[in-house]
């Protein structure tokens, strides 16, 4: 795919997942597929949280060989020569009408994709790669769905990721060194290490109480800004990086919000990872440790259906399913019991993770599938 150009449009709807996914995809397309990528993003501050090199005041900048444009609005005229060979809109964000008009004027029309959100539900297979003709212009847009089966676009996974993870795991000093760089003490690192990334409405206080009163020492590492009310209530002080408190068997420590590449290392360093949304959820699956997913809430509890679809596909076992359903408010349960069940099941869950990874990667990774799909259309 060398010499191709690609424009990826990202509207930050909420939090960090939109830009997290687009940034990951942009880098991989450039690095592994030799495509000249331009990433258009409307919220540079959100981008800066996961990628500190970002200058939030710059209209244009280049980061890791990816051209980044601040997408400031829908106005503006574009010439056909400004349009890329491949145009991707993330999550049905409306790209500027002037840009679409220029796409239609291009002698060779660009490949136009709408990259959708990840779901384990079966209907995704029927919608993946479907075309949608523009009502007026000679353009066709294709739906590209990430997913868990060979009838979907697969999942984002860099080619070197497993090698990096394995090298990190093989070096006994790597995790302690990484955690120490975030302020975690040796005593804290000796307990069961849990990273916590969830939405504010997760039952964090209930889980903290179960850990505090349980027999096993637990160190819970929480990036700044996550579950801030519950964390602050436990700490009895503002939840700023470095804040720490132990009570009973539980220690809670607030970490700085780490750059995206370091977030993988945090997942690799912990025994159990609480993740959320889409991108951290996928990374937890590559990390090969037990994980609990907090799904992004939708109206009419639609997300509970999505959660169940994933749990069924993943088959992590009864304890994991029960804990996950209660964590997401799809069921009520007793937290000390739920935790006891999960803690006992964790070695088996982690042991099965390699099998799960093989299954979901059998179909190839999303960036490779996407480039193949684009090639098939030209
Ligand atoms: O932040 P999220 O909740 O993002 C999204 C958005 O809300 C989006 O609108 C919605 O569509 C989607 O969820 C389902 O969760 P997610 O997807 O896990 O993205 C978080 C990103 O932040 C991910 O790329 C990892 C990164 N991250 C860091 O870089 N450093 C950190 O310290 C942490 C905790 C996360």
């Amino acid at each position: 795919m060398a010499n191709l150009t690609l424009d990826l449009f990202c509207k930050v709807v909420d939090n960090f997942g939109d830009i997290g996914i687009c940034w990951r995809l942009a880098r991989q397309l450039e690095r592994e597929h030799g495509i000249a990528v331009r990433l258009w993003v409307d919220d540079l501050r959100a981008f800066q949280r996961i990628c500190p090199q970002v200058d939030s005041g710059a209209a244009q900048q280049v980061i890791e060989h990816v051209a980044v444009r601040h997408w400031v609005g829908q106005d503006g005229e574009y010439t056909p020569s400004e349009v890329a060979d491949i145009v991707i809109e993330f999550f049905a964000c409306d790209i500027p009408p002037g840009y679409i008009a220029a796409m239609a004027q291009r002698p060779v029309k660009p490949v136009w994709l709408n990259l959708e959100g990840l779901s384990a539900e079966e209907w995704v297979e029927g919608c993946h790669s479907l075309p949608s003709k523009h009502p007026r212009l000679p353009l066709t847009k294709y739906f590209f769905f990430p997913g868990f089966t060979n009838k979907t676009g697969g999942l984002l996974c860099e080619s070197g990721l497993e090698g990096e993870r394995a090298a990190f795991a093989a070096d006994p000093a790597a995790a302690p060194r990484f955690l120490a760089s975030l302020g975690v003490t040796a005593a804290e690192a000796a307990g069961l290490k849990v990273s916590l990334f969830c939405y504010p409405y997760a039952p964090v206080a209930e889980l903290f109480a179960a850990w505090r009163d349980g027999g096993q020492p637990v160190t819970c590492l929480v990036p700044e800004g996550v579950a801030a009310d519950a964390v602050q209530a436990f700490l009895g002080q503002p939840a700023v990086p470095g804040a720490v408190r132990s009570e009973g068997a539980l220690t809670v420590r607030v970490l700085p919000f780490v750059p995206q590449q370091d977030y993988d290392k945090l997942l690799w360093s912990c025994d159990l990872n609480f993740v959320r949304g889409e991108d951290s959820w996928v990374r937890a699956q590559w990390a090969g440790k037990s994980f609990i997913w907090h799904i992004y809430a939708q109206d009419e509890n639609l997300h509970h259906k999505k959660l169940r679809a994933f749990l069924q596909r993943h088959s992590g076992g009864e304890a994991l399913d029960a804990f996950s359903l209660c964590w997401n408010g799809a069921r009520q349960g007793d937290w000390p019991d739920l935790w006891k069940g999960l803690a006992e099941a964790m070695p088996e869950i982690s042991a099965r993770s390699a099998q799960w990874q093989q299954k979901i990667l059998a179909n190839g990774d999303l960036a490779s599938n996407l480039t193949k799909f684009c090639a098939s259309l030209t």
Side-chain angles (χ1 to χ4, degrees):
M1 298 297 265
N3 300 325
L4 281 180
T5 59
L6 183 147
D7 273 332
L8 171 56
F9 287 87
C10 173
K11 189 167 167 18
V12 176
V13 178
D14 209 359
N15 308 319
F16 311 107
D18 308 291
I19 185 59
I21 291 162
C22 290
W23 176 228
R24 194 180 291 295
L25 174 63
R27 260 182 307 168
Q28 196 183 351
L29 289 171
E30 192 283 326
R31 205 175 280 181
E32 296 179 23
H33 298 276
I35 299 176
V37 180
R38 204 161 44 165
L39 172 60
W40 299 72
V41 53
D42 66 341
D43 182 348
L44 290 173
R45 282 183 195 283
F47 192 5
Q48 195 182 45
R49 285 295 299 281
I50 63 158
C51 177
Q53 296 105 294
V54 170
D55 174 352
S56 60
Q60 299 188 25
Q61 55 198 305
V62 177
I63 307 171
E64 296 188 35
H65 306 287
V66 172
V68 175
R69 285 282 180 96
H70 189 195
W71 178 13
V72 282
Q74 295 300 86
D75 296 339
E77 300 280 313
Y78 296 82
T79 61
S81 63
E82 284 175 289
V83 170
D85 302 315
I86 302 169
V87 180
I88 303 179
E89 54 183 48
F90 181 69
F91 227 5
C93 63
D94 278 333
I95 59 180
Y99 188 95
I100 297 175
M103 281 164 72
Q105 286 161 22
R106 221 171 170 259
V108 178
K109 306 291 175 267
V111 173
W112 185 8
L113 303 183
N114 173 19
L115 177 58
E116 282 288 342
L118 173 62
S119 169
E121 292 165 294
E122 270 174 31
W123 62 262
V124 166
E125 294 187 341
C127 295
H128 173 59
S129 76
L130 283 186
S132 161
K133 280 200 181 307
H134 193 280
R136 285 178 296 102
L137 300 168
L139 292 169
T140 302
K141 175 158 71 181
Y142 293 85
F143 291 92
F144 197 90
F145 279 82
F148 296 92
T149 71
N150 62 7
K151 295 195 183 77
T152 70
L155 299 168
L156 275 174
C157 182
E158 298 84 355
S159 62
L161 181 66
E162 176 50 23
E164 282 172 42
R165 189 207 62 78
F168 190 90
D171 177 358
R177 192 168 50 229
F178 175 71
L179 291 174
S181 76
L182 298 176
V184 179
T185 66
E188 290 162 9
L192 184 96
K193 293 173 286 300
V194 181
S195 76
L196 180 66
F197 188 37
C198 59
Y199 295 108
Y201 41 85
V204 173
E206 290 84 339
L207 183 57
F208 278 1
W211 280 337
R212 180 195 62 204
D213 301 338
Q216 183 182 20
V218 172
T219 297
C220 180
L221 304 172
V222 197
E224 185 184 17
V226 176
D229 290 346
V231 172
Q232 185 160 325
F234 181 85
L235 294 172
Q237 57 175 304
V240 293
V244 59
R245 180 169 171 260
S246 300
E247 190 185 341
L250 174 63
T251 298
V252 173
R253 171 178 282 280
V254 180
L255 302 182
F257 197 88
V258 295
Q260 194 186 49
Q261 270 128 314
D262 282 350
Y263 184 63
D264 282 325
K265 294 192 185 128
L266 179 61
L267 299 176
W268 301 341
S269 300
C270 289
D271 306 294
L272 169 64
N273 295 303
F274 286 74
V275 288
R276 74 182 198 190
E278 181 169 327
D279 193 52
S280 59
W281 173 39
V282 173
R283 302 316 276 184
Q285 296 176 57
W286 302 135
K289 303 289 180 78
S290 304
F291 66 90
I292 297 292
W293 179 34
H294 202 210
I295 186 168
Y296 189 76
Q298 286 178 293
D299 290 342
E300 297 169 14
N301 283 338
L302 205 65
H303 56 294
H304 288 164
K305 217 172 146 220
K306 288 187 172 174
L307 171 67
R308 287 195 166 90
F310 174 69
L311 293 176
Q312 200 181 0
R313 214 177 266 292
H314 181 236
S315 320
E318 217 174 294
L320 183 77
D321 290 359
F323 194 106
S324 303
L325 290 167
C326 292
W327 185 244
N328 283 282
R331 195 194 271 179
Q332 297 304 310
D334 175 72
W335 284 100
D337 278 354
L338 289 164
W339 171 237
K340 189 168 175 285
L342 181 66
E344 281 169 8
M346 270 169 48
E348 202 193 321
I349 298 169
S350 304
R352 279 210 307 250
S353 64
Q355 250 172 299
W356 172 247
Q357 288 171 354
Q358 273 170 17
K359 194 169 163 186
I360 55 180
L361 206 53
N363 172 35
D365 70 281
L366 186 138
S368 304
N369 290 333
L370 189 145
T371 53
K372 277 185 215 144
F373 181 65
C374 291
S376 75
L377 296 173
T378 51

